[in-house]
Amino acid sequence: QVNPQYEGTFVFPNDFPALQPDAPEPGDSDHPLFQAAAARGVCKVMCFHPWSDLTLPLMSLAEIRAVIDTWAELAAELGASYPWVQIFENKGAMMGCSNPHPHCQVWASSFLPNEAHLEDRTQRQHLTQHGVPMLLEYAEQEARRKERLVVENTDWLVVVPYWATWPYQTLLLPRRHVCRLQDLCKGERDSLASIMQRLLIKYDNLFEVSFPYSMGWHGAPTGPYLEEDCGHWQLHAHYYPPLLRSATVRKFMVGYEMLAQAQRDLTPEQAAERLRSLPEVHYKRRAK
């Protein structure tokens, strides 16, 4: 198939989907240790821009805002039927990206994946015990302490989270209580485009390379959960970059990390300070 002559974002079905809407039911298990259930859904690819030599930090604010709007549209459209809509971007060959064209993926599933299930449970517990959404309280604390703060604006902040395991891992959080991407107002979408651009420019400037990462949005479940109270949820995005000391030296989660517990090579405070101190003009666009 040939894509149309698109000028902005472009969404199409993944040619090799991990989820199918008509996946068959597995057979009955003959033992409680071997349980299986049907995993149904759809997988889409979303191109950010028609140019293959651009990435998000090199796109204009209007172009990034168009990406955010399309994310919100897909979250609402697929979320009308599916409990979980996972928007994620793998950037760079180091993160397994086989195509350098600026794009992300959107998988909608008939179930809550493991990470979503864990976040749902822990956020619910925190609201029950403390009376405030966990990540809303966390954002307020980080905004006040500032030691792990990377960038901020009126509506958003980015921190290297207190529990970070990847060297330059960050967490993008709204300042107000908002459950899902599609709930963001126009002003919040504009300021989200701005803070994303600032963060991603800093990432590229760190080692003066197109910085690889995997990122994704987590928000309140959808589908049947739209009829439930999901006030314990707070919208947020995770960024997981692998680079450690240079453009070629990466952090590997191996050995003790895989078998016991993740080990940090620098503290969240050190990582935040280094990112915070970087210029917000992309290294490719600085005056020579």
Side-chain angles (χ1 to χ4, degrees):
Q1 296 184 12
V2 178
N3 58 267
Q5 194 70 25
Y6 64 95
E7 299 296 327
T9 60
F10 172 56
V11 180
F12 60 96
N14 195 316
D15 292 334
F16 306 98
L19 296 164
Q20 298 276 12
D22 55 354
E25 287 287 349
D28 293 335
S29 171
D30 62 355
H31 193 279
L33 291 178
F34 303 96
Q35 298 293 316
R40 299 188 175 95
V42 296
C43 299
K44 294 180 179 290
V45 177
M46 172 185 158
C47 293
F48 296 153
H49 196 281
W51 295 3
S52 292
D53 60 346
L54 280 187
T55 54
L56 279 170
L58 292 169
M59 289 165 54
S60 70
L61 288 176
E63 290 166 338
I64 298 173
R65 167 64 193 270
V67 169
I68 293 167
D69 287 340
T70 306
W71 280 344
E73 290 168 9
L74 286 168
E77 174 192 336
L78 297 172
S81 304
Y82 290 99
W84 189 253
V85 179
Q86 184 60 66
I87 298 167
F88 66 97
E89 178 193 5
N90 295 323
K91 181 188 174 191
M94 193 176 286
M95 299 310 292
C97 183
S98 59
N99 190 328
H101 195 97
H103 71 283
C104 72
Q105 298 189 54
V106 184
W107 294 12
S109 62
S110 60
F111 57 94
L112 290 189
N114 292 347
E115 289 295 315
H117 192 271
L118 177 62
E119 287 196 4
D120 183 70
R121 186 175 76 245
T122 54
Q123 289 181 97
R124 189 184 298 275
Q125 288 174 347
H126 188 90
L127 182 64
T128 300
Q129 294 172 6
H130 303 282
V132 61
M134 180 174 69
L135 290 179
L136 181 63
E137 182 177 14
Y138 178 69
E140 292 170 350
Q141 286 290 317
E142 290 287 30
R144 181 173 60 82
R145 296 168 186 260
K146 297 191 180 303
E147 56 191 335
R148 286 170 293 274
L149 189 67
V150 178
V151 287
E152 64 178 330
N153 61 26
T154 304
D155 302 311
W156 301 87
L157 68 156
V158 176
V159 300
V160 178
Y162 185 73
W163 57 86
T165 54
W166 294 96
Y168 293 100
Q169 175 181 340
T170 55
L171 183 67
L172 171 58
L173 292 159
R175 291 184 184 271
R176 79 169 176 97
H177 185 207
V178 54
C179 291
R180 301 178 178 93
L181 263 174
Q182 53 267 44
D183 298 335
L184 297 174
C185 67
K186 292 181 179 179
E188 289 168 329
R189 296 185 187 196
D190 288 337
S191 56
L192 174 56
S194 174
I195 204 164
M196 283 176 54
Q197 185 187 64
R198 293 169 63 196
L199 170 65
L200 298 179
I201 286 174
K202 284 179 178 289
Y203 270 159
D204 280 10
N205 284 345
L206 182 60
F207 299 123
E208 295 197 348
V209 66
S210 185
F211 204 77
Y213 58 75
S214 285
M215 70 80 65
W217 284 99
H218 282 172
T222 49
Y225 293 90
L226 293 171
E227 304 300 320
E228 298 183 10
D229 181 3
C230 290
H232 54 293
W233 269 89
Q234 175 74 330
L235 176 70
H236 60 283
H238 297 281
Y239 285 83
Y240 298 123
L243 293 182
L244 176 57
R245 284 186 287 272
S246 74
T248 57
V249 176
R250 65 176 295 173
K251 165 78 173 182
F252 287 97
M253 290 290 188
V254 295
Y256 192 87
E257 281 89 355
M258 293 178 69
L259 296 165
Q261 182 172 316
Q263 299 297 293
R264 284 204 57 88
D265 299 270
L266 69 167
T267 68
E269 294 77 18
Q270 290 169 330
E273 170 58 28
R274 186 158 186 198
L275 290 172
R276 188 167 55 241
S277 65
L278 290 166
E280 295 188 9
V281 176
H282 199 278
Y283 72 92
K284 289 185 177 181
R285 292 177 172 168
R286 289 182 206 150
K288 300 295 184 182

